[in-house]
Short mmCIF file of all heavy atoms in Angstrom, two decimals:
data_model
loop_
_atom_site.label_atom_id
_atom_site.label_comp_id
_atom_site.label_asym_id
_atom_site.label_seq_id
_atom_site.Cartn_x
_atom_site.Cartn_y
_atom_site.Cartn_z
N MET A 1 6.27 8.47 12.79
CA MET A 1 5.50 7.91 11.66
C MET A 1 6.28 6.73 11.07
O MET A 1 7.48 6.81 10.86
CB MET A 1 5.31 9.01 10.60
CG MET A 1 4.50 8.56 9.41
SD MET A 1 4.46 9.80 8.10
CE MET A 1 3.16 10.89 8.67
N ALA A 2 5.59 5.64 10.85
CA ALA A 2 6.25 4.47 10.26
C ALA A 2 6.65 4.75 8.82
O ALA A 2 6.01 5.57 8.14
CB ALA A 2 5.29 3.27 10.31
N ASP A 3 7.69 4.08 8.37
CA ASP A 3 8.18 4.31 7.01
C ASP A 3 7.10 4.05 5.97
O ASP A 3 7.02 4.75 4.97
CB ASP A 3 9.40 3.43 6.73
CG ASP A 3 10.67 3.99 7.39
OD1 ASP A 3 10.57 5.05 8.05
OD2 ASP A 3 11.72 3.36 7.24
N ILE A 4 6.26 3.02 6.20
CA ILE A 4 5.23 2.69 5.21
C ILE A 4 4.28 3.87 5.00
O ILE A 4 3.75 4.08 3.91
CB ILE A 4 4.45 1.42 5.63
CG1 ILE A 4 3.42 1.01 4.58
CG2 ILE A 4 3.76 1.58 6.97
CD1 ILE A 4 3.97 0.52 3.27
N ASP A 5 4.09 4.68 6.04
CA ASP A 5 3.18 5.82 5.92
C ASP A 5 3.75 6.94 5.05
O ASP A 5 3.01 7.81 4.62
CB ASP A 5 2.84 6.37 7.31
CG ASP A 5 2.10 5.35 8.16
OD1 ASP A 5 1.34 4.55 7.58
OD2 ASP A 5 2.30 5.34 9.38
N LYS A 6 5.06 6.89 4.83
CA LYS A 6 5.70 7.94 4.01
C LYS A 6 5.83 7.50 2.56
O LYS A 6 6.30 8.25 1.72
CB LYS A 6 7.10 8.25 4.57
CG LYS A 6 7.08 8.73 6.00
CD LYS A 6 8.52 8.88 6.49
CE LYS A 6 8.56 9.00 8.00
NZ LYS A 6 9.90 8.70 8.53
N LEU A 7 5.43 6.25 2.30
CA LEU A 7 5.61 5.69 0.96
C LEU A 7 4.27 5.28 0.37
O LEU A 7 3.37 4.85 1.09
CB LEU A 7 6.53 4.46 1.02
CG LEU A 7 7.91 4.69 1.62
CD1 LEU A 7 8.61 3.34 1.83
CD2 LEU A 7 8.76 5.59 0.72
N LYS A 8 4.17 5.41 -0.94
CA LYS A 8 3.01 4.86 -1.65
C LYS A 8 3.51 3.59 -2.33
O LYS A 8 4.32 3.65 -3.26
CB LYS A 8 2.48 5.86 -2.66
CG LYS A 8 1.29 5.38 -3.43
CD LYS A 8 0.58 6.54 -4.12
CE LYS A 8 -0.66 6.06 -4.83
NZ LYS A 8 -0.42 5.84 -6.26
N VAL A 9 3.05 2.46 -1.84
CA VAL A 9 3.52 1.17 -2.34
C VAL A 9 2.37 0.49 -3.06
O VAL A 9 1.27 0.36 -2.51
CB VAL A 9 4.01 0.28 -1.18
CG1 VAL A 9 4.57 -1.04 -1.71
CG2 VAL A 9 5.07 1.00 -0.36
N THR A 10 2.61 0.09 -4.30
CA THR A 10 1.56 -0.58 -5.05
C THR A 10 2.11 -1.85 -5.70
O THR A 10 3.31 -1.95 -5.99
CB THR A 10 0.98 0.32 -6.16
OG1 THR A 10 2.05 0.84 -6.95
CG2 THR A 10 0.21 1.49 -5.56
N VAL A 11 1.23 -2.81 -5.92
CA VAL A 11 1.59 -4.06 -6.60
C VAL A 11 0.76 -4.17 -7.87
O VAL A 11 -0.47 -4.03 -7.83
CB VAL A 11 1.33 -5.28 -5.69
CG1 VAL A 11 1.56 -6.58 -6.46
CG2 VAL A 11 2.21 -5.24 -4.46
N ASP A 12 1.43 -4.41 -8.97
CA ASP A 12 0.74 -4.67 -10.24
C ASP A 12 0.31 -6.14 -10.24
O ASP A 12 1.13 -7.04 -10.40
CB ASP A 12 1.71 -4.39 -11.40
CG ASP A 12 1.07 -4.67 -12.76
OD1 ASP A 12 0.03 -5.38 -12.82
OD2 ASP A 12 1.62 -4.21 -13.76
N ARG A 13 -0.97 -6.36 -10.01
CA ARG A 13 -1.46 -7.74 -9.87
C ARG A 13 -1.25 -8.56 -11.13
O ARG A 13 -1.06 -9.77 -11.06
CB ARG A 13 -2.96 -7.74 -9.52
CG ARG A 13 -3.25 -7.20 -8.15
CD ARG A 13 -4.74 -7.24 -7.85
NE ARG A 13 -5.28 -8.59 -7.77
CZ ARG A 13 -5.22 -9.36 -6.70
NH1 ARG A 13 -4.61 -8.92 -5.61
NH2 ARG A 13 -5.75 -10.56 -6.71
N ASP A 14 -1.29 -7.93 -12.28
CA ASP A 14 -1.08 -8.68 -13.52
C ASP A 14 0.36 -9.16 -13.64
O ASP A 14 0.64 -10.21 -14.23
CB ASP A 14 -1.44 -7.82 -14.74
CG ASP A 14 -2.94 -7.55 -14.80
OD1 ASP A 14 -3.70 -8.39 -14.29
OD2 ASP A 14 -3.33 -6.51 -15.35
N ALA A 15 1.29 -8.37 -13.07
CA ALA A 15 2.71 -8.72 -13.17
C ALA A 15 3.14 -9.69 -12.08
O ALA A 15 4.11 -10.43 -12.25
CB ALA A 15 3.56 -7.44 -13.10
N CYS A 16 2.44 -9.69 -10.95
CA CYS A 16 2.83 -10.55 -9.82
C CYS A 16 2.67 -12.02 -10.20
O CYS A 16 1.62 -12.44 -10.66
CB CYS A 16 1.95 -10.23 -8.61
SG CYS A 16 2.27 -11.28 -7.18
N ILE A 17 3.76 -12.79 -9.97
CA ILE A 17 3.72 -14.23 -10.26
C ILE A 17 3.53 -15.06 -9.00
O ILE A 17 3.60 -16.29 -9.03
CB ILE A 17 4.98 -14.70 -11.01
CG1 ILE A 17 6.24 -14.39 -10.21
CG2 ILE A 17 5.04 -14.07 -12.40
CD1 ILE A 17 7.51 -15.05 -10.76
N GLY A 18 3.36 -14.37 -7.86
CA GLY A 18 2.97 -15.08 -6.64
C GLY A 18 4.05 -15.91 -5.99
O GLY A 18 3.74 -16.88 -5.31
N ASP A 19 5.32 -15.53 -6.17
CA ASP A 19 6.37 -16.33 -5.54
C ASP A 19 6.57 -16.00 -4.06
O ASP A 19 7.24 -16.72 -3.35
CB ASP A 19 7.69 -16.19 -6.30
CG ASP A 19 8.28 -14.81 -6.17
OD1 ASP A 19 7.55 -13.87 -5.78
OD2 ASP A 19 9.48 -14.66 -6.45
N GLY A 20 5.99 -14.89 -3.63
CA GLY A 20 6.04 -14.57 -2.21
C GLY A 20 7.34 -13.97 -1.72
O GLY A 20 7.53 -13.79 -0.51
N ALA A 21 8.25 -13.64 -2.63
CA ALA A 21 9.56 -13.11 -2.20
C ALA A 21 9.42 -11.82 -1.39
O ALA A 21 10.13 -11.62 -0.40
CB ALA A 21 10.45 -12.87 -3.42
N CYS A 22 8.51 -10.96 -1.79
CA CYS A 22 8.34 -9.68 -1.09
C CYS A 22 7.90 -9.91 0.36
O CYS A 22 8.25 -9.13 1.24
CB CYS A 22 7.35 -8.79 -1.83
SG CYS A 22 5.77 -9.58 -2.19
N CYS A 23 7.14 -10.96 0.58
CA CYS A 23 6.65 -11.25 1.93
C CYS A 23 7.81 -11.65 2.85
O CYS A 23 7.72 -11.48 4.06
CB CYS A 23 5.60 -12.34 1.91
SG CYS A 23 4.20 -11.97 0.85
N ASN A 24 8.87 -12.19 2.27
CA ASN A 24 10.04 -12.53 3.08
C ASN A 24 10.86 -11.29 3.39
O ASN A 24 11.34 -11.12 4.50
CB ASN A 24 10.93 -13.56 2.34
CG ASN A 24 10.25 -14.91 2.25
OD1 ASN A 24 9.50 -15.29 3.13
ND2 ASN A 24 10.52 -15.61 1.17
N ASP A 25 11.02 -10.42 2.40
CA ASP A 25 11.84 -9.22 2.60
C ASP A 25 11.15 -8.21 3.51
O ASP A 25 11.82 -7.53 4.30
CB ASP A 25 12.15 -8.56 1.25
CG ASP A 25 13.15 -9.36 0.44
OD1 ASP A 25 13.97 -10.07 1.04
OD2 ASP A 25 13.09 -9.28 -0.80
N ALA A 26 9.87 -8.05 3.37
CA ALA A 26 9.13 -7.04 4.14
C ALA A 26 7.78 -7.64 4.58
O ALA A 26 6.72 -7.29 4.07
CB ALA A 26 8.92 -5.79 3.30
N PRO A 27 7.85 -8.55 5.56
CA PRO A 27 6.65 -9.32 5.94
C PRO A 27 5.52 -8.49 6.55
O PRO A 27 4.38 -8.94 6.57
CB PRO A 27 7.19 -10.33 6.96
CG PRO A 27 8.48 -9.76 7.43
CD PRO A 27 9.04 -8.97 6.31
N GLU A 28 5.84 -7.30 7.03
CA GLU A 28 4.78 -6.48 7.60
C GLU A 28 4.16 -5.55 6.56
O GLU A 28 3.24 -4.80 6.86
CB GLU A 28 5.31 -5.66 8.78
CG GLU A 28 5.72 -6.53 9.94
CD GLU A 28 6.00 -5.75 11.20
OE1 GLU A 28 5.59 -4.59 11.29
OE2 GLU A 28 6.67 -6.30 12.08
N THR A 29 4.70 -5.62 5.35
CA THR A 29 4.21 -4.73 4.28
C THR A 29 3.47 -5.49 3.19
O THR A 29 2.55 -4.96 2.57
CB THR A 29 5.39 -3.95 3.67
OG1 THR A 29 6.05 -3.24 4.72
CG2 THR A 29 4.92 -2.97 2.60
N PHE A 30 3.88 -6.75 2.97
CA PHE A 30 3.27 -7.53 1.90
C PHE A 30 2.71 -8.84 2.46
O PHE A 30 3.31 -9.46 3.33
CB PHE A 30 4.30 -7.86 0.81
CG PHE A 30 4.90 -6.65 0.16
CD1 PHE A 30 6.13 -6.16 0.58
CD2 PHE A 30 4.23 -5.97 -0.85
CE1 PHE A 30 6.69 -5.03 0.00
CE2 PHE A 30 4.78 -4.83 -1.44
CZ PHE A 30 6.00 -4.37 -1.01
N GLU A 31 1.58 -9.23 1.91
CA GLU A 31 1.04 -10.56 2.21
C GLU A 31 0.39 -11.08 0.93
O GLU A 31 0.05 -10.32 0.03
CB GLU A 31 0.04 -10.51 3.36
CG GLU A 31 -1.21 -9.70 3.07
CD GLU A 31 -2.11 -9.58 4.29
OE1 GLU A 31 -1.83 -10.22 5.31
OE2 GLU A 31 -3.08 -8.80 4.22
N MET A 32 0.20 -12.40 0.89
CA MET A 32 -0.42 -13.01 -0.27
C MET A 32 -1.93 -13.10 -0.03
O MET A 32 -2.37 -13.44 1.08
CB MET A 32 0.15 -14.41 -0.52
CG MET A 32 1.67 -14.46 -0.65
SD MET A 32 2.35 -13.29 -1.84
CE MET A 32 1.69 -13.97 -3.37
N ASP A 33 -2.69 -12.79 -1.07
CA ASP A 33 -4.14 -12.93 -0.91
C ASP A 33 -4.58 -14.32 -1.39
O ASP A 33 -3.75 -15.17 -1.73
CB ASP A 33 -4.88 -11.79 -1.60
CG ASP A 33 -4.78 -11.85 -3.13
OD1 ASP A 33 -4.27 -12.87 -3.66
OD2 ASP A 33 -5.20 -10.89 -3.77
N ASP A 34 -5.88 -14.55 -1.41
CA ASP A 34 -6.34 -15.90 -1.73
C ASP A 34 -6.23 -16.22 -3.23
O ASP A 34 -6.55 -17.33 -3.65
CB ASP A 34 -7.76 -16.15 -1.20
CG ASP A 34 -8.74 -15.10 -1.66
OD1 ASP A 34 -8.39 -14.34 -2.59
OD2 ASP A 34 -9.84 -15.02 -1.10
N GLU A 35 -5.79 -15.24 -4.02
CA GLU A 35 -5.50 -15.53 -5.44
C GLU A 35 -4.00 -15.64 -5.68
O GLU A 35 -3.53 -15.58 -6.82
CB GLU A 35 -6.10 -14.42 -6.32
CG GLU A 35 -7.62 -14.39 -6.28
CD GLU A 35 -8.21 -13.24 -7.10
OE1 GLU A 35 -7.45 -12.34 -7.51
OE2 GLU A 35 -9.42 -13.26 -7.31
N ASP A 36 -3.22 -15.75 -4.60
CA ASP A 36 -1.76 -15.83 -4.67
C ASP A 36 -1.14 -14.60 -5.34
O ASP A 36 -0.18 -14.72 -6.10
CB ASP A 36 -1.31 -17.12 -5.38
CG ASP A 36 -1.08 -18.25 -4.39
OD1 ASP A 36 -1.01 -17.96 -3.17
OD2 ASP A 36 -0.95 -19.39 -4.83
N LYS A 37 -1.71 -13.47 -5.06
CA LYS A 37 -1.13 -12.20 -5.50
C LYS A 37 -0.73 -11.41 -4.25
O LYS A 37 -1.44 -11.46 -3.23
CB LYS A 37 -2.14 -11.37 -6.30
CG LYS A 37 -2.69 -12.08 -7.54
CD LYS A 37 -1.66 -12.12 -8.64
CE LYS A 37 -2.25 -12.71 -9.92
NZ LYS A 37 -1.26 -12.78 -11.00
N ALA A 38 0.37 -10.69 -4.35
CA ALA A 38 0.81 -9.89 -3.20
C ALA A 38 -0.07 -8.66 -3.06
O ALA A 38 -0.44 -8.02 -4.05
CB ALA A 38 2.26 -9.47 -3.39
N VAL A 39 -0.41 -8.34 -1.82
CA VAL A 39 -1.15 -7.11 -1.51
C VAL A 39 -0.39 -6.36 -0.43
O VAL A 39 0.37 -6.94 0.35
CB VAL A 39 -2.60 -7.39 -1.07
CG1 VAL A 39 -3.42 -7.94 -2.22
CG2 VAL A 39 -2.64 -8.34 0.11
N VAL A 40 -0.60 -5.04 -0.41
CA VAL A 40 0.11 -4.18 0.52
C VAL A 40 -0.70 -4.03 1.80
O VAL A 40 -1.90 -3.76 1.75
CB VAL A 40 0.35 -2.79 -0.11
CG1 VAL A 40 1.08 -1.87 0.87
CG2 VAL A 40 1.16 -2.93 -1.40
N LYS A 41 -0.02 -4.22 2.92
CA LYS A 41 -0.65 -4.04 4.23
C LYS A 41 -0.28 -2.66 4.76
O LYS A 41 0.80 -2.16 4.49
CB LYS A 41 -0.12 -5.08 5.23
CG LYS A 41 -0.37 -6.50 4.81
CD LYS A 41 -0.22 -7.43 6.01
CE LYS A 41 1.23 -7.76 6.29
NZ LYS A 41 1.37 -8.74 7.40
N GLN A 42 -1.17 -2.08 5.50
CA GLN A 42 -0.86 -0.80 6.13
C GLN A 42 -0.50 -1.02 7.59
O GLN A 42 -0.85 -2.03 8.18
CB GLN A 42 -2.06 0.15 6.00
CG GLN A 42 -2.43 0.49 4.56
CD GLN A 42 -1.29 1.13 3.80
OE1 GLN A 42 -0.55 1.95 4.33
NE2 GLN A 42 -1.14 0.75 2.54
N GLY A 43 0.19 -0.06 8.15
CA GLY A 43 0.44 -0.08 9.59
C GLY A 43 1.61 -0.92 10.04
O GLY A 43 1.85 -1.04 11.24
N GLY A 44 2.36 -1.51 9.11
CA GLY A 44 3.50 -2.32 9.50
C GLY A 44 4.70 -1.45 9.87
O GLY A 44 4.70 -0.24 9.66
N SER A 45 5.72 -2.10 10.43
CA SER A 45 6.89 -1.34 10.87
C SER A 45 8.14 -1.68 10.07
O SER A 45 9.25 -1.42 10.51
CB SER A 45 7.14 -1.58 12.35
OG SER A 45 7.40 -2.96 12.57
N ASP A 46 7.97 -2.27 8.87
CA ASP A 46 9.15 -2.54 8.04
C ASP A 46 9.84 -1.22 7.72
O ASP A 46 9.20 -0.18 7.52
CB ASP A 46 8.74 -3.20 6.73
CG ASP A 46 8.30 -4.64 6.91
OD1 ASP A 46 8.90 -5.35 7.73
OD2 ASP A 46 7.35 -5.05 6.22
N SER A 47 11.16 -1.28 7.63
CA SER A 47 11.93 -0.08 7.30
C SER A 47 11.79 0.25 5.83
O SER A 47 11.44 -0.61 5.00
CB SER A 47 13.41 -0.28 7.63
OG SER A 47 13.96 -1.25 6.74
N ARG A 48 12.07 1.49 5.52
CA ARG A 48 12.10 1.93 4.12
C ARG A 48 13.05 1.04 3.31
O ARG A 48 12.73 0.65 2.19
CB ARG A 48 12.57 3.39 4.12
CG ARG A 48 12.78 4.01 2.77
CD ARG A 48 13.42 5.38 3.00
NE ARG A 48 13.83 6.03 1.78
CZ ARG A 48 13.16 7.04 1.23
NH1 ARG A 48 12.10 7.51 1.78
NH2 ARG A 48 13.61 7.59 0.12
N ASP A 49 14.20 0.72 3.89
CA ASP A 49 15.18 -0.11 3.18
C ASP A 49 14.61 -1.50 2.89
O ASP A 49 14.83 -2.06 1.81
CB ASP A 49 16.46 -0.25 3.99
CG ASP A 49 17.33 0.99 3.91
OD1 ASP A 49 17.02 1.88 3.09
OD2 ASP A 49 18.31 1.07 4.67
N ALA A 50 13.89 -2.06 3.85
CA ALA A 50 13.31 -3.39 3.65
C ALA A 50 12.25 -3.36 2.56
O ALA A 50 12.17 -4.27 1.72
CB ALA A 50 12.71 -3.91 4.96
N ILE A 51 11.46 -2.32 2.54
CA ILE A 51 10.41 -2.19 1.53
C ILE A 51 11.04 -2.02 0.14
O ILE A 51 10.61 -2.65 -0.84
CB ILE A 51 9.48 -1.01 1.87
CG1 ILE A 51 8.73 -1.31 3.18
CG2 ILE A 51 8.49 -0.75 0.74
CD1 ILE A 51 8.04 -0.12 3.80
N LEU A 52 12.08 -1.20 0.08
CA LEU A 52 12.76 -1.01 -1.21
C LEU A 52 13.46 -2.28 -1.66
O LEU A 52 13.48 -2.60 -2.85
CB LEU A 52 13.77 0.14 -1.11
CG LEU A 52 13.16 1.54 -1.19
CD1 LEU A 52 14.20 2.60 -0.89
CD2 LEU A 52 12.55 1.77 -2.57
N GLU A 53 14.01 -3.02 -0.70
CA GLU A 53 14.68 -4.28 -1.04
C GLU A 53 13.66 -5.25 -1.63
O GLU A 53 13.95 -5.95 -2.61
CB GLU A 53 15.34 -4.87 0.21
CG GLU A 53 16.23 -6.05 -0.09
CD GLU A 53 16.91 -6.58 1.15
OE1 GLU A 53 17.00 -5.84 2.15
OE2 GLU A 53 17.33 -7.74 1.12
N ALA A 54 12.48 -5.29 -1.04
CA ALA A 54 11.43 -6.16 -1.56
C ALA A 54 11.09 -5.78 -3.00
O ALA A 54 10.95 -6.65 -3.87
CB ALA A 54 10.19 -6.06 -0.68
N ALA A 55 10.99 -4.49 -3.25
CA ALA A 55 10.68 -4.04 -4.62
C ALA A 55 11.80 -4.42 -5.59
O ALA A 55 11.55 -4.90 -6.70
CB ALA A 55 10.45 -2.53 -4.63
N GLN A 56 13.02 -4.24 -5.13
CA GLN A 56 14.17 -4.54 -6.00
C GLN A 56 14.29 -6.03 -6.27
O GLN A 56 14.73 -6.44 -7.35
CB GLN A 56 15.46 -4.01 -5.35
CG GLN A 56 15.56 -2.49 -5.41
CD GLN A 56 16.48 -1.90 -4.35
OE1 GLN A 56 17.11 -2.63 -3.58
NE2 GLN A 56 16.56 -0.59 -4.32
N ASN A 57 13.91 -6.84 -5.29
CA ASN A 57 14.05 -8.29 -5.44
C ASN A 57 12.87 -8.94 -6.15
O ASN A 57 12.93 -10.13 -6.46
CB ASN A 57 14.23 -8.94 -4.07
CG ASN A 57 15.60 -8.67 -3.47
OD1 ASN A 57 16.53 -8.33 -4.19
ND2 ASN A 57 15.72 -8.80 -2.17
N CYS A 58 11.81 -8.19 -6.40
CA CYS A 58 10.67 -8.77 -7.10
C CYS A 58 11.10 -9.16 -8.51
O CYS A 58 11.61 -8.33 -9.26
CB CYS A 58 9.52 -7.76 -7.16
SG CYS A 58 8.17 -8.35 -8.20
N PRO A 59 10.91 -10.44 -8.87
CA PRO A 59 11.42 -10.91 -10.16
C PRO A 59 10.76 -10.26 -11.37
O PRO A 59 11.31 -10.29 -12.48
CB PRO A 59 11.15 -12.42 -10.12
CG PRO A 59 10.08 -12.60 -9.10
CD PRO A 59 10.28 -11.51 -8.09
N THR A 60 9.59 -9.70 -11.19
CA THR A 60 8.89 -9.11 -12.34
C THR A 60 8.70 -7.59 -12.21
O THR A 60 7.95 -6.99 -12.97
CB THR A 60 7.50 -9.77 -12.52
OG1 THR A 60 6.72 -9.52 -11.33
CG2 THR A 60 7.62 -11.26 -12.75
N ASP A 61 9.40 -6.99 -11.23
CA ASP A 61 9.26 -5.54 -11.00
C ASP A 61 7.78 -5.14 -10.87
O ASP A 61 7.35 -4.12 -11.40
CB ASP A 61 9.91 -4.72 -12.13
CG ASP A 61 11.39 -4.48 -11.85
OD1 ASP A 61 11.87 -4.83 -10.75
OD2 ASP A 61 12.07 -3.93 -12.73
N ALA A 62 7.04 -5.96 -10.14
CA ALA A 62 5.61 -5.68 -9.97
C ALA A 62 5.33 -4.62 -8.90
O ALA A 62 4.23 -4.11 -8.81
CB ALA A 62 4.88 -6.98 -9.59
N ILE A 63 6.37 -4.31 -8.10
CA ILE A 63 6.17 -3.40 -6.96
C ILE A 63 6.70 -2.01 -7.31
O ILE A 63 7.83 -1.86 -7.78
CB ILE A 63 6.90 -3.93 -5.71
CG1 ILE A 63 6.36 -5.31 -5.33
CG2 ILE A 63 6.76 -2.94 -4.55
CD1 ILE A 63 7.20 -6.03 -4.28
N THR A 64 5.85 -1.01 -7.09
CA THR A 64 6.26 0.38 -7.30
C THR A 64 6.25 1.09 -5.95
O THR A 64 5.32 0.93 -5.17
CB THR A 64 5.28 1.09 -8.26
OG1 THR A 64 5.30 0.39 -9.51
CG2 THR A 64 5.70 2.54 -8.50
N VAL A 65 7.31 1.86 -5.71
CA VAL A 65 7.43 2.60 -4.45
C VAL A 65 7.65 4.08 -4.77
O VAL A 65 8.58 4.43 -5.49
CB VAL A 65 8.61 2.08 -3.59
CG1 VAL A 65 8.66 2.83 -2.26
CG2 VAL A 65 8.50 0.58 -3.36
N VAL A 66 6.77 4.92 -4.24
CA VAL A 66 6.86 6.37 -4.46
C VAL A 66 6.96 7.06 -3.10
O VAL A 66 6.25 6.70 -2.16
CB VAL A 66 5.62 6.89 -5.23
CG1 VAL A 66 5.62 8.41 -5.31
CG2 VAL A 66 5.55 6.26 -6.61
N ASP A 67 7.86 8.03 -3.01
CA ASP A 67 7.98 8.85 -1.79
C ASP A 67 6.82 9.85 -1.80
O ASP A 67 6.71 10.68 -2.69
CB ASP A 67 9.33 9.57 -1.80
CG ASP A 67 9.56 10.34 -0.51
OD1 ASP A 67 8.66 11.06 -0.06
OD2 ASP A 67 10.68 10.25 0.01
N LYS A 68 5.94 9.75 -0.80
CA LYS A 68 4.76 10.61 -0.78
C LYS A 68 5.13 12.08 -0.67
O LYS A 68 4.47 12.94 -1.26
CB LYS A 68 3.87 10.24 0.40
CG LYS A 68 3.03 9.00 0.19
CD LYS A 68 2.12 8.81 1.41
CE LYS A 68 1.30 7.55 1.30
NZ LYS A 68 0.62 7.24 2.57
N ALA A 69 6.15 12.38 0.11
CA ALA A 69 6.49 13.79 0.35
C ALA A 69 6.99 14.48 -0.90
O ALA A 69 6.65 15.64 -1.16
CB ALA A 69 7.54 13.88 1.47
N THR A 70 7.79 13.78 -1.68
CA THR A 70 8.41 14.41 -2.85
C THR A 70 7.74 14.00 -4.16
O THR A 70 7.96 14.64 -5.18
CB THR A 70 9.90 14.03 -2.94
OG1 THR A 70 9.99 12.61 -3.14
CG2 THR A 70 10.65 14.43 -1.67
N GLY A 71 6.97 12.92 -4.13
CA GLY A 71 6.38 12.40 -5.36
C GLY A 71 7.39 11.65 -6.22
O GLY A 71 7.08 11.21 -7.32
N LYS A 72 8.60 11.49 -5.70
CA LYS A 72 9.66 10.82 -6.48
C LYS A 72 9.44 9.31 -6.48
O LYS A 72 9.19 8.71 -5.43
CB LYS A 72 11.02 11.15 -5.86
CG LYS A 72 12.20 10.55 -6.60
CD LYS A 72 13.49 11.05 -5.95
CE LYS A 72 14.76 10.40 -6.42
NZ LYS A 72 14.81 9.59 -7.56
N LYS A 73 9.57 8.73 -7.64
CA LYS A 73 9.48 7.29 -7.75
C LYS A 73 10.81 6.69 -7.33
O LYS A 73 11.86 6.98 -7.93
CB LYS A 73 9.14 6.90 -9.19
CG LYS A 73 8.59 5.49 -9.33
CD LYS A 73 8.77 4.97 -10.71
CE LYS A 73 7.50 5.00 -11.49
NZ LYS A 73 7.68 4.30 -12.79
N LEU A 74 10.79 5.90 -6.26
CA LEU A 74 12.03 5.32 -5.72
C LEU A 74 12.36 3.99 -6.40
O LEU A 74 13.52 3.63 -6.53
CB LEU A 74 11.87 5.11 -4.23
CG LEU A 74 11.53 6.38 -3.41
CD1 LEU A 74 11.28 6.02 -1.96
CD2 LEU A 74 12.65 7.41 -3.54
N TYR A 75 11.30 3.27 -6.81
CA TYR A 75 11.52 2.02 -7.54
C TYR A 75 10.26 1.65 -8.29
O TYR A 75 9.19 1.76 -7.72
CB TYR A 75 11.91 0.87 -6.59
CG TYR A 75 12.48 -0.28 -7.39
CD1 TYR A 75 13.83 -0.32 -7.71
CD2 TYR A 75 11.65 -1.27 -7.88
CE1 TYR A 75 14.34 -1.33 -8.50
CE2 TYR A 75 12.17 -2.28 -8.68
CZ TYR A 75 13.51 -2.31 -8.98
OH TYR A 75 14.02 -3.30 -9.76
N PRO A 76 10.35 1.13 -9.53
CA PRO A 76 11.56 1.17 -10.35
C PRO A 76 11.87 2.60 -10.77
O PRO A 76 10.96 3.41 -10.91
CB PRO A 76 11.22 0.31 -11.58
CG PRO A 76 9.74 0.13 -11.58
CD PRO A 76 9.23 0.48 -10.22
N GLU A 77 13.15 2.88 -10.95
CA GLU A 77 13.52 4.23 -11.34
C GLU A 77 13.19 4.44 -12.80
O GLU A 77 13.27 3.52 -13.60
CB GLU A 77 15.02 4.45 -11.09
CG GLU A 77 15.33 4.44 -9.59
CD GLU A 77 16.80 4.66 -9.32
OE1 GLU A 77 17.42 5.43 -10.06
OE2 GLU A 77 17.32 4.06 -8.38
N ASP A 78 12.79 5.65 -13.13
CA ASP A 78 12.43 5.98 -14.52
C ASP A 78 13.67 6.02 -15.39
O ASP A 78 14.75 6.29 -14.94
CB ASP A 78 11.73 7.33 -14.57
CG ASP A 78 10.32 7.23 -13.97
OD1 ASP A 78 9.69 6.19 -14.13
OD2 ASP A 78 9.91 8.21 -13.33
S1 SF4 B 101 7.99 -10.49 -5.13
FE1 SF4 B 101 6.82 -9.63 -6.87
S2 SF4 B 101 6.09 -11.43 -8.02
FE2 SF4 B 101 6.73 -12.13 -5.97
S3 SF4 B 101 4.83 -12.11 -4.75
FE3 SF4 B 101 5.87 -10.13 -4.42
S4 SF4 B 101 4.95 -8.75 -5.97
FE4 SF4 B 101 4.47 -10.84 -6.57
#
C-alpha cells in the first residue's frame, strides 16, 4: 500500500497562498488547480516523509496530515 493511502491529507484552500512549495516536496501528492490552490492527488508514490516535509514546509500550515490507522494528527501537531 502506498504511503498516501495510509494518510488523510487535506489542504485548507483559504490558507493556501499558492506558492507551490508542496508540489516540489511531494510532486505526486500535490498539484495546483486552476485557481492556484494546492489540491491532493491520490495514487502517488511519495513517501510519508516527503508528504510530511511538504506539510512542514508550507508557509501557512495549510496542509493537515492524519494517520488513518491511528487517527493521530501528524501535522500540524496539536
Ligand atoms: S505549500 Fe502550502 S501555501 Fe504553498 S501551495 Fe502548498 S498548500 Fe498552498
Side-chain angles (χ1 to χ4, degrees):
M1 182 187 277
D3 283 0
I4 183 68
D5 296 328
K6 301 175 195 161
L7 302 170
K8 181 164 183 262
V9 183
T10 52
V11 173
D12 179 343
R13 292 181 65 82
D14 292 332
C16 177
I17 58 169
D19 68 343
C22 52
C23 303
N24 291 328
D25 288 332
E28 294 191 17
T29 303
F30 300 98
E31 64 185 353
M32 306 308 293
D33 69 9
D34 54 14
E35 294 177 348
D36 268 347
K37 302 286 185 181
V39 292
V40 179
K41 300 198 279 184
Q42 297 302 321
S45 61
D46 288 321
S47 68
R48 175 187 173 105
D49 283 351
I51 295 166
L52 281 172
E53 189 178 340
Q56 287 157 3
N57 287 340
C58 173
T60 61
D61 273 354
I63 300 169
T64 300
V65 183
V66 173
D67 185 313
K68 282 184 183 170
T70 64
K72 182 175 171 12
K73 199 202 256 188
L74 302 175
Y75 195 86
E77 292 180 36
D78 288 325

